[in-house]
Amino acid sequence: MNGTTEEMCRIYLRVIEHLYYKVDKRSLHFDDQVNVDVSTTVVQTSYSTDCYGVVMDSLCRSIYSKDTTDRIKKRALLCNVYHLALHGYWYEARDLIMMSHLQESIQHFDVPTQVLYNRAIVQLGLCAFRKGLIIDAHNSLQAIQSSGKAKQLLAQGLMSKKFSDRTPEQEKQRQIPLHMHLNLELLECVYLTCAMLLEIPNMASQVFDSRKHMISKSFRYLLRVSEQSPLVGPPESMREHVVAAATAMKTGDWQACRDYMLDVKVWKLFLDSERIKKMLTRKIQEESLRTYIFTYSSVYDSLSLSTLCEMFELPPDIISRILNKMMITEELQASWDESRQSVTLHHTEPTRLQSLALQLADKVGSLLENNERIMDSRYGGYWFKKEWQG
């Protein structure tokens, strides 16, 4: 083909934009084994020889080496990240976008490129969830979901006239085609599930701490609304299923939590839905175990390994790994009794009365600091010392 380098790169990008969102079942990657060559700027993938991946990889390499305009190169990179994450290559996609440092300058690009960046990050979060990487999935989806504007940030819905300076016709032109849309209910379900798996054990570990770290404000809000509701019936919507599952996890009832979560219908949208359900069940068992230990450790002197295995239907090595990690991170003050195959608990945590007293002392100290700050701003600082001196 005859043409300048810039024209060829534009043609390559147009082909990439027609391919990057399409799923090729022959190139799906469900295993945890990946091959990443971090010595180069282009990530080596293990695509099959008869799928879109070969075309995507070849066109992206050509643009990376020949393009002189920053916009075409960045859009090709984002399409490559989206395509890799869509087919299960999470580590390759993550390394590619981290090496590009695009997250530091994306706000200076045009709106279509920012939308493509949001789509790539969201697809990266879905890929992390399919791999069982709950923390990474939550971090990838948090910025989009916590904003409350996922539909607008992904260009799948119109902005409100109050927040947009464009005409309705201009707003419609920037929307992506319907066949490229991401399922917003699936995104919210994955985000809330990750938030539940992270937040419920966090809440159980710091139940009397007034300075506890909050992981997901939107998930805490859903729980608070549910707790304040005078009448709670059986769950119907996706959000109600997640709230009901979180309520069951609080007490360590992993079977009820699992049943509520697996009843959600959006899991069928994953191509490997059965594997996703097995992974989710295992995560629920593990986090329910941690929540149970945080909640009820104060009433036990020791915990038998065989009893925990029977309660949570987990193998001994998994339970041992979880307990060892909790001891190393000082979340659990305990030690192993090898002779009895049990964990001896050391009750060093404060009692309920002591915890409430510490909480009251923190609030009184904060109130005192706020009053002094108000007096300083009103009277010029340290006004009461002058009266003492006088």
Side-chain angles (χ1 to χ4, degrees):
M1 296 177 63
N2 296 326
T4 63
T5 302
E6 182 178 355
E7 292 173 345
M8 295 301 299
C9 289
R10 289 182 180 275
I11 294 174
Y12 293 160
L13 180 61
R14 181 58 59 90
V15 176
I16 289 172
E17 290 177 344
H18 281 285
L19 293 178
Y20 81 96
Y21 61 90
K22 296 180 178 179
V23 179
D24 191 333
K25 295 182 180 179
R26 296 168 295 181
S27 62
L28 291 174
H29 181 71
F30 297 145
D31 298 330
D32 293 333
Q33 301 296 328
V34 293
N35 298 320
V36 182
D37 183 8
V38 295
S39 61
T40 60
T41 57
V42 179
V43 178
Q44 305 293 333
T45 63
S46 44
Y47 285 118
S48 58
T49 58
D50 55 350
C51 64
Y52 297 143
V54 175
V55 179
M56 288 285 299
D57 188 60
S58 176
L59 295 177
C60 289
R61 284 173 180 271
S62 299
I63 291 178
Y64 296 156
S65 59
K66 298 178 182 179
D67 179 59
T68 57
T69 62
D70 196 40
R71 182 179 183 274
I72 294 179
K73 186 180 297 184
K74 297 303 183 184
R75 287 189 65 85
L77 184 142
L78 290 173
C79 291
N80 197 6
V81 170
Y82 187 102
H83 194 75
L84 287 170
L86 183 64
H87 290 82
Y89 296 88
W90 184 81
Y91 293 97
E92 291 95 329
R94 179 203 61 180
D95 293 343
L96 185 60
I97 199 167
M98 289 182 65
M99 288 187 293
S100 68
H101 299 285
L102 190 57
Q103 60 273 15
E104 301 174 1
S105 59
I106 188 62
Q107 66 272 13
H108 302 300
F109 284 81
D110 57 310
V111 173
T113 305
Q114 294 182 18
V115 171
L116 182 57
Y117 174 82
N118 293 337
R119 286 169 54 81
I121 293 298
V122 165
Q123 192 61 243
L124 197 63
L126 292 177
C127 182
F129 178 77
R130 296 198 303 269
K131 292 288 184 181
L133 306 172
I134 303 301
I135 297 178
D136 296 302
H138 180 268
N139 293 338
S140 297
L141 297 174
Q142 185 175 19
I144 298 295
Q145 292 297 324
S146 62
S147 66
K149 302 177 182 178
K151 183 182 296 186
Q152 291 78 17
L153 293 176
L154 297 174
Q156 297 181 190
L158 301 179
M159 292 283 290
S160 175
K161 295 181 180 180
K162 180 171 57 175
F163 300 104
S164 177
D165 56 353
R166 291 180 290 268
T167 63
E169 291 75 15
Q170 293 175 336
E171 190 69 25
K172 291 180 180 179
Q173 290 177 358
R174 66 183 289 268
Q175 303 301 306
I176 63 174
L178 182 62
H179 65 280
M180 298 172 60
H181 281 197
L182 296 168
N183 190 287
L184 298 178
E185 186 178 3
L186 177 62
L187 295 181
E188 185 179 13
C189 182
V190 170
Y191 171 71
L192 292 178
T193 302
C194 295
M196 178 192 71
L197 294 173
L198 297 175
E199 190 70 89
I200 295 300
N202 178 59
M203 294 171 62
S205 65
Q206 301 173 342
V207 64
F208 298 125
D209 190 359
S210 61
R211 295 165 294 183
K212 51 190 174 183
H213 173 64
M214 186 179 298
I215 297 177
S216 175
K217 292 183 178 180
S218 57
F219 180 75
R220 289 282 187 98
Y221 176 76
L222 286 178
L223 287 181
R224 187 165 58 250
V225 170
S226 176
E227 292 172 354
Q228 294 175 353
S229 178
L231 180 61
V232 179
E236 297 179 358
S237 64
M238 179 271 297
R239 291 185 179 181
E240 291 177 355
H241 275 84
V242 175
V243 171
T247 304
M249 182 181 285
K250 282 184 177 181
T251 61
D253 188 357
W254 71 271
Q255 290 98 337
C257 180
R258 175 202 58 192
D259 294 339
Y260 284 127
M261 291 306 303
L262 296 187
D263 284 342
V264 179
K265 297 180 180 180
V266 297
W267 302 126
K268 297 179 181 179
L269 299 177
F270 285 116
L271 294 177
D272 52 338
S273 59
E274 293 302 321
R275 192 188 63 84
I276 294 295
K277 291 180 180 179
K278 292 180 181 178
M279 179 274 297
L280 184 58
T281 300
R282 174 56 64 89
K283 293 295 181 181
I284 289 174
Q285 289 173 301
E286 295 178 357
E287 298 305 324
S288 297
L289 169 63
R290 297 181 67 241
T291 304
Y292 182 85
I293 293 176
F294 284 137
T295 304
Y296 300 108
S297 61
S298 59
V299 300
Y300 285 102
D301 292 327
S302 64
L303 292 170
S304 173
L305 184 61
S306 59
T307 302
L308 293 177
C309 293
E310 182 179 355
M311 289 176 59
F312 294 94
E313 298 183 12
L314 288 171
D317 57 333
I318 298 296
I319 292 184
S320 299
R321 175 177 59 82
I322 294 174
L323 294 177
N324 287 334
K325 185 177 180 180
M326 294 174 66
M327 294 178 194
I328 292 173
T329 57
E330 297 184 354
E331 293 178 330
L332 179 65
Q333 302 295 329
S335 60
W336 280 102
D337 187 348
E338 297 293 342
S339 61
R340 296 190 300 171
Q341 286 294 302
S342 63
V343 174
T344 302
L345 301 174
H346 309 310
H347 297 291
T348 59
E349 65 275 2
T351 63
R352 181 179 179 84
L353 179 60
Q354 292 172 336
S355 300
L356 293 175
L358 293 173
Q359 185 176 351
L360 177 61
D362 291 337
K363 290 184 177 180
V364 171
S366 300
L367 180 62
L368 178 61
E369 291 179 0
N370 292 334
N371 287 338
E372 291 180 352
R373 193 178 299 113
I374 292 173
M375 289 298 181
D376 290 344
S377 63
R378 181 175 298 180
Y379 296 103
Y382 301 105
W383 58 276
F384 49 85
K385 291 188 177 180
K386 295 180 180 179
E387 295 183 359
W388 290 352
Q389 293 175 358

